[in-house]
């Protein structure tokens, strides 16, 4: 199905899994559903090259770079922190953030609603930073706080795919959250 939406809104169905590149063979780990999706703001880190000769801009080029932004949820759960952020359990049952944890490369998949239909998005070959949360005193009303996590996606080195978007009727739309596709371009 073609994208017939005029506007997009919403952010839900956040799924994250491991992305492993074994010499060009991509293995996609089982998707983990992280509840409480609030927002994600990936911005392109594009570059611009200007080469001057003969006293003018002789050659210009724009390059497509990675996408980087904050992944925001109500609260990252314990399983997510141990599986994707390298948190460790303490001897006394606590959950510890450790210095220089070993973290896997990841993909993220999520859904965005539109005025006509939804769309689903997957981003490949990412790294996750450290979760940030504010702690505030309770005032007249209880205002929930969120956790934000810096995320950067450089894309699949073999195909160059950073992001793929699926619409209802596309082959990958229905299975994106259960069996996400490895990056592949049509011949």
């Amino acid at each position: 199905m073609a994208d017939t939406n005029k506007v997009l809104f919403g952010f839900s169905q956040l799924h994250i899994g491991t992305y492993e590149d074994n010499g060009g063979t991509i293995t996609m780990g089982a998707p983990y559903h992280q509840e409480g999706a609030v927002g994600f703001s990936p911005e392109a880190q594009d570059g611009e090259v200007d080469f001057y000769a003969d006293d003018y801009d002789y050659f210009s080029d724009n390059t497509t770079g990675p996408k980087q932004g904050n992944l925001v949820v109500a609260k990252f759960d314990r399983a997510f922190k141990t599986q994707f952020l390298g948190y460790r359990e303490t001897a006394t049952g606590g959950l510890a953030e450790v210095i220089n944890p070993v973290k896997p490369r990841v993909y993220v998949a999520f859904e965005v609603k539109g005025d006509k239909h939804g769309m689903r998005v997957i981003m490949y070959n990412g790294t996750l930073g450290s979760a940030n949360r504010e702690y505030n005193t309770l005032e007249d009303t209880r205002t929930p706080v969120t956790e934000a996590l810096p995320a950067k996606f450089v894309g699949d080195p073999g195909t160059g795919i950073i992001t793929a978007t699926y619409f209802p009727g596309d082959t990958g739309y229905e299975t994106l959250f259960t069996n996400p596709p490895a990056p592949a371009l049509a011949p």
Side-chain angles (χ1 to χ4, degrees):
M1 165 190 260
D3 183 9
T4 58
N5 288 316
K6 291 183 180 178
V7 295
L8 299 172
F9 46 85
F11 175 70
S12 63
Q13 294 294 324
L14 176 61
H15 288 75
I16 299 174
T18 57
Y19 167 96
E20 294 180 37
D21 183 352
N22 300 308
T25 301
I26 305 302
T27 302
M28 306 285 285
Y32 178 84
H33 181 212
Q34 171 61 57
E35 294 183 356
V38 174
F40 186 34
S41 56
E43 294 182 20
Q45 306 295 305
D46 295 346
E48 186 176 307
V49 175
D50 289 311
F51 175 73
Y52 289 85
D54 293 330
D55 292 335
Y56 74 98
D57 191 351
Y58 191 75
F59 174 81
S60 290
D61 192 21
N62 285 308
T63 58
T64 302
K67 294 192 180 280
Q68 185 171 332
N70 283 324
L71 188 56
V72 182
V73 301
K75 181 179 171 294
F76 290 105
D77 59 39
R78 186 179 194 107
F80 177 89
K81 289 179 176 179
T82 56
Q83 188 174 350
F84 300 108
L85 301 182
Y87 279 58
R88 304 282 308 273
E89 294 200 13
T90 68
T92 55
L95 186 61
E97 183 175 9
V98 296
I99 297 172
N100 298 324
V102 175
K103 299 179 191 178
R105 305 223 34 111
V106 298
Y107 66 86
V108 297
F110 53 90
E111 183 168 294
V112 177
K113 292 176 180 50
D115 61 312
K116 305 267 188 213
H117 54 79
M119 68 180 208
R120 294 180 176 171
V121 178
I122 187 167
M123 299 179 77
Y124 294 104
N125 197 9
T127 56
L128 303 174
S130 298
N132 298 305
R133 178 191 317 158
E134 282 188 36
Y135 297 95
N136 297 312
T137 189
L138 187 59
E139 297 178 3
D140 295 339
T141 59
R142 293 190 304 181
T143 305
V145 295
T146 58
E147 289 185 329
L149 182 68
K152 181 177 182 178
F153 293 87
V154 297
D156 178 63
T159 62
I161 299 173
I162 297 173
T163 302
T165 304
Y166 297 93
F167 302 100
D170 291 346
T171 304
Y173 183 86
E174 291 300 323
T175 61
L176 188 63
F177 302 142
T178 56
N179 187 21
L185 295 170

